[in-house]
Amino acid sequence: MTVWDDLVGQQRVSDQLAAAARDADALVTAAAADAPPPEASRMTHAWLFTGPPGAGRNQAARAFAAALQCVSPDRALGGAPGCGFCDGCHTALIGTHADVNTITAVGAVIRVSDMRDTVRKSFTAPATGRWQVILVEDAERLNESSANAVLKAVEEPAPRTVWLLCAPSVEDVLPTIRSRCRHLNLSTPSVDAVADLLVRREGIEPDVAAAAARATQGHVDRARRLATDPAARERRAAVLKLPLRVQDIGSALKAAQELVDAAAEDAKQLAEQRDTKETDELKAALGAVQGGRLPRGTAGVVKELEEMQKRRRTRTQRDSLDVALTDLTSFYRDVLALQLGSRVAIANADAEDTLERLARDNSPESMLRRIEAIDACRDALDRNVTPLLAVEAMTMALRAG
């Protein structure tokens, strides 16, 4: 099983990355043997992965990072790098490789302080691997200062350093950065391809896999969670009941509060175990004595970690809200499809009775206004509006139609 197997419906991108990985392997091998490098190479020092949510931008970048670090002996016999089994591939895929550095937005943006050590490390040679790989999973969240720091590093990288940037579209990245990157655009995989992946890799029953893939419209990560996590299915079911609940002002405000509370609880559950582990590991690294007392002068480091965890919880809550907003959008889209007689497949087939009821009782124009209200809520959250205020405004607009 190679590192490319999880890139659902991205054969063109997989082929390009595999070819670049072979050329990268040849470059390293030639350098080790003091031989001249190949005359032509499809490898470059900076890559930009774009595509809609769920297309697998981060997975493609990580698979490429694994292929660059592949140490399989089969390469010497003509095998392609990216076996998926060797130590280089395995550690890169699970995120523990010493020379694969991953940057993810903790809060709303990636600050320059989050990038400082990584940019400095990008100018050094690989410690144990074949390449120094910097993977920025949320490049669209770079602020002005952090983007300028990345630009300087991408302009004049170390010989064996590779930058992998992931963003929804090229417009989300500074023109000066994207002009120095090789661009790969991923497309949304088909529902059938996602369902097949869930059956093959997760052992999900075909009916459950098909329902999860259809409900998420080809979003691989969300489909996987929906198929494997009963709590995720319960939250989605609650969200799909919201359109029938916002009949008056009181119920609309109550629905908004419940939506925000559910997102906060989801973020709390995801954070508890991870935060505790991180704090314990940091204290142990700082040499905390028995009883939890920290050495003198180290309290600031722990406080910095706590602030980072707080920003991450806020980001996780808003990501959870965004999933709910996506489910609501797909619901009203299905109603609109029924009203217009569209042949587009219904995503929420499990709520077909409700969809048909709303299609009969409302106009297509009101459905469009509701979809616009959801988009306005998403924009408000991106501008750091208090979640409850943004969601209340949305549910009131959903009620008004």
Side-chain angles (χ1 to χ4, degrees):
M1 186 177 297
T2 70
V3 297
W4 317 112
D5 286 348
D6 281 350
L7 302 189
V8 185
Q10 311 295 343
Q11 189 61 48
R12 177 184 56 82
V13 170
S14 298
D15 290 344
Q16 293 182 54
L17 292 176
R22 286 194 296 270
D23 288 352
D25 187 62
L27 287 170
V28 175
T29 302
D34 289 329
E39 293 184 2
S41 175
R42 286 159 290 192
M43 181 60 186
T44 188
H45 69 283
W47 298 75
L48 175 60
F49 298 81
T50 64
R57 301 185 302 260
N58 297 340
Q59 290 87 341
R62 188 163 294 281
F64 186 41
L68 293 177
Q69 304 293 11
C70 183
V71 292
S72 168
D74 291 342
R75 293 176 299 106
L77 303 175
C83 65
F85 294 103
C86 70
D87 185 64
C89 286
H90 177 68
T91 53
L93 289 174
I94 66 174
T96 59
H97 197 291
D99 292 314
V100 178
N101 305 275
T102 303
I103 301 298
T104 303
V106 175
V109 297
I110 300 177
R111 303 183 300 185
V112 68
S113 58
D114 300 326
M115 292 296 304
R116 189 175 293 118
D117 291 340
T118 302
V119 169
R120 188 181 301 116
K121 189 173 183 179
S122 74
F123 291 105
T124 64
T128 61
R130 299 169 68 79
W131 294 85
Q132 182 79 258
V133 181
I134 313 296
L135 170 55
V136 184
E137 291 190 342
D138 305 287
E140 76 278 10
R141 294 180 183 269
L142 292 165
N143 64 15
E144 183 178 357
S145 298
S146 57
N148 287 333
V150 170
L151 175 60
K152 293 177 182 178
V154 171
E155 282 180 323
E156 299 178 359
R160 299 251 301 272
T161 294
V162 182
W163 283 83
L164 309 178
L165 309 179
C166 303
S169 70
V170 292
E171 288 77 17
D172 292 314
V173 180
L174 281 179
T176 48
I177 292 179
R178 67 184 187 236
S179 66
R180 290 165 172 80
C181 299
R182 183 166 299 170
H183 177 218
L184 291 177
N185 185 54
L186 287 77
S187 57
T188 301
S190 69
V191 169
D192 290 340
V194 174
D196 179 66
L197 175 72
L198 295 177
V199 173
R200 285 188 295 108
R201 297 301 302 273
E202 307 294 337
I204 305 298
E205 290 296 324
D207 291 346
V208 176
R214 184 173 58 250
T216 57
Q217 291 295 285
H219 192 300
V220 180
D221 291 336
R222 287 188 55 215
R224 182 181 288 112
R225 187 174 185 190
L226 197 62
T228 58
D229 185 359
R233 292 195 290 272
E234 291 176 4
R235 283 192 295 272
R236 175 176 172 274
V239 169
L240 295 185
K241 293 177 182 177
L242 187 145
L244 293 181
R245 295 182 54 200
V246 289
Q247 301 300 321
D248 53 57
I249 294 177
S251 61
L253 296 178
K254 182 180 179 181
Q257 183 68 65
E258 291 176 358
L259 203 60
V260 173
D261 289 346
E265 181 62 26
D266 188 34
K268 179 182 177 182
Q269 291 177 1
L270 290 173
E272 279 180 347
Q273 186 175 1
R274 179 173 54 188
D275 290 356
T276 301
K277 181 181 178 182
E278 286 178 344
T279 302
D280 291 344
E281 288 177 349
L282 178 61
K283 288 182 177 179
L286 293 174
V289 298
Q290 188 174 8
R293 289 176 296 173
L294 291 167
R296 188 184 303 272
T298 61
V301 180
V302 176
K303 184 177 180 181
E304 184 178 343
L305 174 64
E306 291 172 347
E307 290 176 351
M308 183 274 290
Q309 291 172 340
K310 182 179 179 181
R311 286 190 289 128
R312 187 170 60 195
R313 283 194 293 272
T314 300
R315 163 82 189 276
T316 304
Q317 179 183 358
R318 298 198 175 190
D319 286 347
S320 182
L321 269 178
D322 190 69
V323 170
L325 298 181
T326 300
D327 287 336
L328 272 177
T329 301
S330 74
F331 180 91
Y332 286 118
R333 164 198 165 277
D334 285 348
V335 175
L336 191 60
L338 291 175
Q339 290 174 326
L340 300 179
S342 171
R343 301 180 66 179
V344 175
I346 299 298
N348 301 285
D350 51 340
E352 192 165 359
D353 291 344
T354 304
L355 296 173
E356 291 177 349
R357 174 182 168 184
L358 287 179
R360 288 193 305 269
D361 297 343
N362 295 270
S363 67
E365 291 79 11
S366 69
M367 291 301 111
L368 287 173
R369 286 194 294 270
R370 289 179 169 106
I371 292 174
E372 290 171 353
I374 298 170
D375 288 340
C377 178
R378 185 176 280 112
D379 290 341
L381 292 173
D382 286 341
R383 295 194 305 271
N384 248 6
V385 173
T386 302
L388 183 58
L389 292 178
V391 177
E392 284 180 344
M394 179 194 72
T395 55
M396 293 297 288
L398 296 180
R399 168 185 171 272

